[in-house]
Amino acid sequence: MPMLRALASAFDKASLFVCCALVTALLGCVSLGALTRGLGEPLIWTDELSRFLMVWLAVFGWIVASRKRIHVRIRFFQDRLPKHAHKATEIAIQSAMTLFGALVAAYSVGLIGRNHDLDATTLPISMAWMYAPMVLGGAVTALQGVSEVIGTLRRRLPQPAAGEGTIVE
């Protein structure tokens, strides 16, 4: 387990680094596009590159948010359930997230396959690069979902004392 935690920590740090690099590249690309448009000599490739960078940034932001468990989540009703129902709901939600991640990864592989021979309009790269980060994003979401299900299953529920009603988390 320590080795797995070390790998996960290294992956998390690398993901944050990639996010920072992508934000910087996106800012530079958009600024260059705006500057050249203002000078009357627009570099048309900046628009297309900024779209690629935005997709990659969105996916890596999704990965970081998933790993840090900081995605928006409304738990108003779930938190009012009895412990067993709360746990079952959590398992169902995380199982759905696992399925969602696996489907995104699988579908993205198909998109890459269908677009690998198509070139971007203004850049000398394949359109498959637009979909490449989705495979990683889906896989990380699926693995995070599996991890959350296992963590939820391992947590023991406190037993109510005699005469007590249901315990609400």
Side-chain angles (χ1 to χ4, degrees), residues 88-107:
T89 303
E90 185 65 22
I91 290 168
I93 289 169
Q94 295 305 328
S95 296
M97 286 306 302
T98 300
L99 178 62
F100 172 74
L103 290 173
V104 166
Y107 187 69

Side-chain angles (χ1 to χ4, degrees), residues 14 23 53 61 64 70 81 88 91 93 109 123 137-138 156 160:
V23 165
L53 291 170
V64 168
I70 56 175
L81 295 173
I91 290 168
I93 289 169
V109 168
L123 297 170
R156 297 188 63 97

